[in-house]
Every structure is written in structure tokens, then in C-alpha cells.
Amino acid sequence: MTERAPAKRVHIKSYGCQMNVYDAERMTDVLRPLGYGLTDDPEGADLVVLNTCHIREKATEKVYSELGRIKAMKERKAEAGGEMLIAVAGCVAQAEGAEIIRRQSAVDLVIGPQSYHRLPEMIARAHRAAGEMLAADFEAEAKFDALPIERGVAGVTAFLTVQEGCDKFCTFCVVPYTRGAEFSRPSADIEREARGLAQRGVREITLLGQNVNAYRNDAGGGLAALIRRLARIEGLARIRYTTSHPSDMDAALIAAHGEVESLMPYLHLPVQSGSDRILKAMNRSHTVAGYLETIAKVRAARPDIALSGDFIVGFPGETDADFEATLDLVREVGHAAAFSFKYSRRPGTPASAMAGQVPEAVKTERLARLQALLESQQRAFNAAMVGRTVPVLFEKPGRHPGQVIGRSPYLQAVHCAGGGELIGRIAPVTITSAAHMSLGGERARAMA
Ligand code: SAM
Ligand code: SF4
């Protein structure tokens, strides 16, 4: 974690038992990566937490009178142009629930001891409701947090960001805190940019977003409507999109896979785990059965589609049986490609504080087994291409003279003999060899 002065100040007032003192420490720990440092003084704080106790008589009334005092501080801060969030935690929060907000409308959050793991999510949502972005201070890990922009070959293919942020709050992930709420760019801006790219010779665009299929335009149209609009642009031969969430795969997008010719038959749809218990602990909002149903519908629309995904092994509480369920899912779907990761503890996210953290050696062993399976499936998928003739978009010269490299519709790299004049063109190639990550082929006269 980078040591920076905290961007915000939190005052936690604990009442009663030792348990509350411990809970206050836990809250301080989860709030630190969200940019909060402790202050002894509630006046002027950005967040005031009353960590309440029910044991003593009149405790509830004491909390309400304290809230009246803090409300006055909140108003003083608002007059000075600032913002203060008020949270009620602990046993009174548990007992009174939403009644607290009804009696004292200045309260922003009510959180019982059973829900402390949701505190980061609730704080982030309260900031969003107030129109503010959290100054989260998570250590960046490009492989998890960044958009996948490493494959940009200037000239022929391009990435186009259409959506940012995330509203999902998976318990392992920092993106909702660091990137803020889901936001979609106006479709007219996207279309203008796509036209400009096509005029400069770009033949393939990949629409990007942390949750790209949550895209919504100003008129409420989804990603499918955007894709259909972009598909009309002259010169733009191929469209892809990444990264999608299973819960946002709507019927219109699935239908587009069967109907829009330039939408490539490749879908990256992260599932993370094959165990419903783990998916629930991850707050993934989809089940294994729901994911399989979506895959079946996508395959009905586009039978040759290649499926890819993201997987996490060693999430807190993952047993051997949960992990085996993930392997079963991979076998059942037959993923043609995938990214797989060992669960990495990100301080400030709910999962980092969960019991049952999995030992590193177990994660390493599980990842090796999962990756061996994924690799064998990818090799089989590639081997099945041998003898087929597919359209290849040539992107760049190969490492050897007289060689060019392009991509199949299924995103496989294809090496082929040919000169620079091929770059930017789509031409039929008969696949003659296959390896783990790439194919070899020869130019064909026509599509077989
Ligand atoms: N929004 C996409 C989704 O939910 O499917 C994924 C975007 S996420 C930024 C990229 C991938 O990084 C995730 O799908 C997940 O597999 C992985 N990831 C994120 N946080 C992680 C963590 N703490 N430990 C291990 N893998 C993580
Ligand atoms: Fe992170 Fe993706 Fe989950 Fe959003 S949906 S929290 S970006 S893993």
C-alpha cells in the first residue's frame, strides 16, 4: 500500500463492550484503503460512525440525542461546502434497522454487526448517491484492474472505450472503489470515433468496458443496439467487445451474435467459479445454472462461438469440492481460452477480511491443475481448426521475413506466408498447423 496522507477523516465513537472496540478496529482497517484516516474530533469529519451498544438502558435514546448533535455538525459542514456521511453501526443498528433513518434523516447508513463485510460497498454507494467519487488508495494490479488494452496494433485494430466503472461490488475486486459507478459514453460520440478510426484504416474495433455489456445509451438502448449501429460503418469489418458480466447478457445481445455478421464469434464471459456457494460469497449475482443457460442461448444463436472466461482459484472458503466443481464447469462448457488467477487479497475489499483464507501452496496447486485443463482444451480447440479455411484479418509482419500475422474470427493468432501488402486485408487462410496459442496456415483462393 502506498503511504499517502488520508484523503478523508473518519471519527468512530464506540459505546459499550469490548466487542465494539474490536469492531471499530476492523472498520478502521477496511476504511483505510478507501482513503479514510482516523480523527478524534467529529467536527468537520467526512464520516462519523456511531458504533452503538444495546446492553445498557436508554442506549437507543442516547444514540438519537448524539445523532442530533452530529446532524448539526453535518449542517455546518454542508454550509461550508463540504460533506459529512453519518453511519450508525453496532447493536442499535441491528435492532432498529431502517427505523433510525426514519427518525433521523441525517443518517446515511445503518449497518448491523452481521454486515460489516459490506461496509466498503455501502460507503462507496453512499458517496455515489452524494455524487462524489471515493479517493480510494488501493495498490494497483494491472492484471486485475486495468482494461485489456495490451493488444492494440495501431492501424488495423483498435480499442474503443464505451463504458467505465462498475456497480457490481464482487467481494474480491477493487474496481467499484477505484473506478466509480457504471458510466456509458453517448452513442453518438462512440459512433463518431468509430467512423474516424475506420477512415484511418482500422478494420476491427473492440468495444471496451469494465462491464461492457452493462452499456446503456441515452435512449436506454443496450450494447446490442450500439453494435448494430457501428456495424453499418463502411470499412469496419469486425466488432468485438470485452469484458462482459454474465448477469448483463441480455436477449438482444445474444440475438445480435446470430444476426450481425461483423460481430465476431468470440465471447469473453468471466464466471470465476463453478461453485454456487463460492459465487454467492463473491457476490457475483449469477449462479452456475444461470451461466450455463446463458451459454446455451449464445450457442443456439451462434453455434461456432468460441468461449473464454476469467477464473479465480483459492477464494476464501474454497474447498476441494468447490474447486472440482470449477473444473467440471470448464469441461462442460469447453472454454477455448481463459484467464485464471490465484485469489489475491486486496485490503479494503470484503473478501480480504473473510475467514478461511486458502494457503498459498493450495492456490498454486489448484491454479496449475486448472491451467493444465484450460490449456488442453485450448489446444484441442485449435487442433480442430486444422484443415478448415477461415477469414483472417492480417495485422502485422511476422518475426520471420516473408511472414504475416493475423487473427481468425475466434481471436486465434494465425501465421502465414505473405507480404506487407496483406496488412489490413481480410483473406481466406487454410489452417495447416495448430499449437497452444497460435495457428499456422496457407492463403487459400476462396473460403471453402
Ligand atoms: N468485470 C469483469 C467481470 O466481472 O467479469 C472482470 C473485470 S476484472 C477487473 C478482471 C478479472 O480479474 C476478474 O474477472 C477476476 O477474475 C480477476 N480478479 C479481480 N480481482 C481479483 C483478486 N482480488 N484476486 C484474483 N483475481 C482477481
Ligand atoms: Fe470487479 Fe467485474 Fe465484479 Fe465489477 S463485475 S466488481 S469489475 S469483477
Side-chain angles (χ1 to χ4, degrees), residues 43-159:
E43 185 75 53
D46 300 284
L47 170 64
V48 175
V49 182
L50 294 189
N51 189 16
T52 62
C53 178
H54 217 190
I55 303 286
R56 276 181 299 150
E57 257 179 79
K58 297 201 199 129
T60 309
E61 287 318 307
K62 264 181 78 176
V63 168
Y64 283 111
S65 71
E66 182 69 9
L67 281 173
R69 234 167 51 87
I70 294 168
K71 180 188 179 204
M73 294 180 196
K74 180 173 181 158
E75 285 165 356
R76 282 197 287 279
K77 190 154 186 212
E79 273 163 29
E83 201 219 350
M84 175 190 282
L85 294 177
I86 303 177
V88 180
C91 300
V92 173
Q94 182 88 341
E96 299 268 304
E99 175 64 19
I100 298 178
I101 295 182
R102 268 196 296 278
R103 269 187 71 179
Q104 178 48 273
S105 60
V107 173
D108 300 279
L109 296 175
V110 177
I111 181 162
Q114 310 308 325
S115 312
Y116 287 158
H117 61 284
R118 291 193 57 219
L119 189 60
E121 172 181 345
M122 292 173 82
I123 296 281
R125 287 190 190 276
H127 275 278
R128 289 179 186 188
E132 256 201 40
M133 175 80 190
L134 257 177
D137 189 15
F138 290 96
E139 201 173 330
E141 274 203 50
K143 68 178 170 178
F144 302 143
D145 312 339
L147 289 169
I149 47 173
E150 69 282 359
R151 201 180 64 86
V153 180
V156 177
T157 63
F159 286 94

Side-chain angles (χ1 to χ4, degrees), residues 56-377:
R56 276 181 299 150
E57 257 179 79
K58 297 201 199 129
T60 309
E61 287 318 307
K62 264 181 78 176
V63 168
Y64 283 111
S65 71
E66 182 69 9
L67 281 173
R69 234 167 51 87
I70 294 168
K71 180 188 179 204
M73 294 180 196
K74 180 173 181 158
E75 285 165 356
R76 282 197 287 279
K77 190 154 186 212
E79 273 163 29
E83 201 219 350
M84 175 190 282
L85 294 177
I86 303 177
V88 180
C91 300
V92 173
Q94 182 88 341
E96 299 268 304
E99 175 64 19
I100 298 178
I101 295 182
R102 268 196 296 278
R103 269 187 71 179
Q104 178 48 273
S105 60
V107 173
D108 300 279
L109 296 175
V110 177
I111 181 162
Q114 310 308 325
S115 312
Y116 287 158
H117 61 284
R118 291 193 57 219
L119 189 60
E121 172 181 345
M122 292 173 82
I123 296 281
R125 287 190 190 276
H127 275 278
R128 289 179 186 188
E132 256 201 40
M133 175 80 190
L134 257 177
D137 189 15
F138 290 96
E139 201 173 330
E141 274 203 50
K143 68 178 170 178
F144 302 143
D145 312 339
L147 289 169
I149 47 173
E150 69 282 359
R151 201 180 64 86
V153 180
V156 177
T157 63
F159 286 94
L160 181 46
T161 300
V162 303
Q163 181 275 341
E164 282 194 74
C166 178
D167 291 343
K168 305 278 191 298
F169 290 95
C170 298
T171 52
F172 52 81
C173 183
V174 301
V175 167
Y177 308 102
T178 54
R179 303 292 171 108
E182 279 174 8
F183 165 81
S184 298
R185 291 180 60 202
S187 48
D189 291 1
I190 297 168
E191 184 178 345
R192 196 174 317 116
E193 204 172 317
R195 281 191 191 283
L197 289 168
Q199 276 158 13
R200 292 207 301 275
V202 168
R203 306 295 317 276
E204 172 182 304
I205 52 167
T206 302
L207 307 177
L208 278 189
Q210 291 290 354
N211 271 299
V212 72
N213 57 344
Y215 178 84
R216 280 281 163 274
N217 70 20
D218 353 320
L223 187 64
L226 179 68
I227 288 171
R228 287 180 194 271
R229 188 166 169 176
L230 300 181
R232 292 199 289 267
I233 297 176
E234 210 185 304
L236 213 54
R238 292 181 165 193
I239 300 175
R240 302 180 188 275
Y241 60 91
T242 198
T243 293
S244 297
H245 191 285
S247 306
D248 291 320
M249 262 337 269
D250 62 17
L253 186 54
I254 293 173
H257 273 285
E259 292 164 10
V260 179
E261 208 186 321
S262 52
L263 183 56
M264 289 293 98
Y266 180 94
L267 174 63
H268 181 70
L269 194 61
V271 59
Q272 316 297 356
S273 169
S275 155
D276 279 341
R277 213 174 58 79
I278 296 296
L279 288 176
K280 189 154 188 273
M282 287 176 164
N283 193 30
R284 279 296 287 182
S285 77
H286 59 80
T287 58
V288 173
Y291 171 80
L292 289 173
E293 208 177 296
T294 302
I295 298 288
K297 287 182 190 159
V298 173
R299 280 194 165 138
R302 183 75 206 231
D304 66 334
I305 199 155
L307 292 162
S308 160
D310 289 346
F311 296 89
I312 295 178
V313 299
F315 185 81
E318 185 187 72
T319 61
D320 283 341
D322 293 319
F323 174 64
E324 290 297 333
T326 300
L327 296 179
D328 289 344
L329 179 71
V330 169
R331 285 187 205 101
E332 183 167 351
V333 172
H335 293 88
F339 297 98
S340 46
F341 310 100
K342 284 193 257 189
Y343 167 69
S344 154
R345 206 168 174 172
R346 312 293 301 274
T349 58
S352 72
M354 284 181 189
Q357 298 287 328
V358 174
E360 197 56 28
V362 176
K363 290 188 211 172
T364 304
E365 192 259 340
R366 287 181 186 167
L367 186 66
R369 284 180 61 200
L370 175 61
Q371 290 188 336
L373 174 63
L374 288 165
E375 180 181 330
S376 72
Q377 289 190 179

